[in-house]
């Protein structure tokens, strides 16, 4: 069984682009749409998710020999919920503003499909090292996806990036008519749709080029 | 050990012995399977308790800071630094955290009450501002909530909901009224979040019912004192 599973390096690389959790697997849509109005909350969410994902992968991989098929989902959920609670309390203690802004979305990491799918697909079957590199790769892929969407939305919607002014908006005496809709929920759908289309188009083109070469 | 037992027993008892053995093994399996979950739950629980012990003072300090920050907004004329925190026992015997909201010169401007109660999803924590004699609300602020994003969370981020509270009477229980708010104590709920809105009103009503007379008495004392 072990020999036809991807290696640690493959797991790591796959998570970033070839199997990107948002653009290729379309998982974790709730935080992808909800907290990408600006870079700061998006990166806080990516960090919290990365912590939970890597820790859950470590725990599940360590006890994969003890897991029973009918109890595994229960154990996954228990593990994930524990680390989400730790992340939630940690943010409330040290990043209080972010914790208030993200509100219920941090506890909602518990139901983020990316994490439970990684536990099921990788961590419950492969070694600790593979599980960790899988967790790191997937977290980076998720952070990359959130960053791409948040960049588009924050720059177009408020003219800033990470709070730094890039385009001076009309409200501050500049020329940029900040597109308020990009910060609001419709902007999330529009941005995700456009970027998803772009990723698919690039994928298609490179596949065609490879076929032409072959 | 079991194998030895089977060897020693007579041939007639052999079969039932094996059956018993299998049943025992199965039962042990159930316990072993459950054991993993039980042990995990217990150890995670201990871990979370440790995290809580370590972090809760910091979280409480953050909340205290934020509460102090909103005092001038909730009680007109009050200054955050001049206000002091105290404990007040409600009529139902429940202790409340109360701030004596005072102006820069120390004169009493009103009261700030911390109250919490069950919302739709999780506990809602409110900061309630009332005037000196505790007759009217002067403002409310949602300190913590985990209501449904896009619906219930507008009790916090939708200004039109919290803006209607200043001036409401504390003597009559607030009541959510969807259609027409004809009376003083009627509250317009957040659309699609009736339960969250009713929870906020219920928390205020309970706090007012148990603290109203106590705060009014303290205000009178402060007035009669030289």
């Amino acid at each position: 069984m072990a020999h036809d599973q991807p290696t640690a390096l493959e797991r790591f690389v796959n998570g970033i682009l070839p199997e990107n959790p948002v653009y290729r697997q379309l998982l974790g849509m709730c935080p992808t749409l909800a907290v990408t109005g600006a870079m700061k909350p998006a990166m806080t969410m990516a960090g919290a998710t990365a912590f939970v994902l890597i820790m859950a992968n470590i725990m599940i991989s360590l006890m994969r020999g003890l897991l029973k098929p009918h109890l595994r989902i229960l154990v996954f959920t228990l593990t994930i919920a524990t680390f989400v609670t730790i992340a939630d309390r940690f943010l409330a203690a040290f990043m209080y503003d972010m914790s208030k802004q993200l509100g219920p979305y941090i506890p909602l990491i518990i139901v983020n499909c990316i994490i439970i799918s990684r536990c099921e697909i990788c961590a419950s079957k492969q070694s600790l090292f593979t599980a960790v590199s899988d967790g790191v790769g997937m977290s980076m892929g998720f952070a990359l996806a959130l960053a791409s969407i948040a960049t588009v939305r924050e720059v177009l919607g408020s003219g800033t990036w990470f709070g730094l002014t890039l385009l001076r908006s009309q409200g501050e005496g500049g020329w940029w008519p900040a597109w308020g809709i990009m910060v609001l929920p419709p902007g999330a759908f529009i941005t995700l749709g456009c970027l998803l289309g772009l990723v698919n188009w690039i994928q298609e083109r490179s596949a065609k080029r490879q076929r032409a070469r072959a | 050990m079991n194998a030895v037992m089977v060897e020693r027993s007579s041939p007639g008892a052999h079969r039932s012995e094996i059956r018993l053995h299998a049943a025992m093994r199965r039962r042990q399996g159930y316990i072993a399977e459950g054991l993993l979950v039980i042990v995990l739950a217990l150890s995670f629980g201990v871990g979370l308790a440790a995290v809580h012990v370590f972090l809760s003072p910091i979280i409480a300090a953050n909340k205290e800071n934020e509460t102090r920050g909103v005092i001038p907004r909730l009680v007109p004329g009050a200054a955050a630094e001049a206000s002091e925190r105290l404990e007040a026992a409600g009529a139902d015997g429940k202790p409340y955290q109360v701030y004596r909201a005072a102006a820069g010169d120390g004169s009493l401007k009103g009261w700030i009450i911390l109250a919490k109660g069950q919302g739709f999803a999780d506990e809602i924590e409110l900061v309630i501002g009332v005037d000196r004699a505790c007759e009217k609300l002067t403002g409310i602020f949602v300190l913590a909530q985990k209501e449904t994003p896009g619906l219930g969370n507008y009790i916090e981020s939708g200004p039109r909901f919290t803006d209607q509270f200043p001036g409401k009477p504390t003597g009559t229980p607030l009541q959510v009224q969807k259609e027409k708010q004809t009376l003083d104590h009627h509250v317009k709920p957040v659309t699609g979040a009736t339960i969250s809105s009713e929870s906020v009103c219920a928390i205020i009503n309970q706090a007012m019912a148990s603290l109203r007379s106590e705060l009014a008495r303290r205000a009178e004392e402060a007035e009669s004192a030289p």
Side-chain angles (χ1 to χ4, degrees), chain B residues 71 77-80 82-84 100-110:
Chain B
I71 287 178
S83 306
E84 56 176 318
R100 181 183 180 279
D105 60 357
S107 62
L108 179 65
K109 290 289 177 188

Side-chain angles (χ1 to χ4, degrees), chain B residues 23-59:
Chain B
M24 253 171 68
R25 267 232 310 253
R26 212 177 306 135
R27 200 172 308 146
Q28 274 171 354
Y30 290 149
I31 294 170
E33 283 172 13
L35 210 62
L36 175 67
V37 178
I38 294 167
V39 168
L40 272 183
L42 282 178
S43 47
F44 282 158
V46 170
L48 286 181
V51 169
H52 181 77
V53 166
F54 175 62
L55 291 181
S56 62
I58 309 175
I59 298 172

Side-chain angles (χ1 to χ4, degrees), chain A residues 68 70 82 92-93 96 100 105, chain B residues 33 44 58 62 66 143 149:
Chain A
K68 300 289 182 298
H70 61 286
T82 305
Y96 189 63
K100 283 216 68 151
Y105 292 111
Chain B
E33 283 172 13
F44 282 158
I58 309 175
N62 285 342
E66 196 182 14
L143 190 61

Side-chain angles (χ1 to χ4, degrees), chain A residues 16-31:
Chain A
I16 300 174
L17 280 180
E19 287 178 15
N20 185 292
V22 172
Y23 288 124
R24 305 305 307 168
Q25 300 183 51
L26 293 182
L27 290 179
M29 287 292 112
C30 164

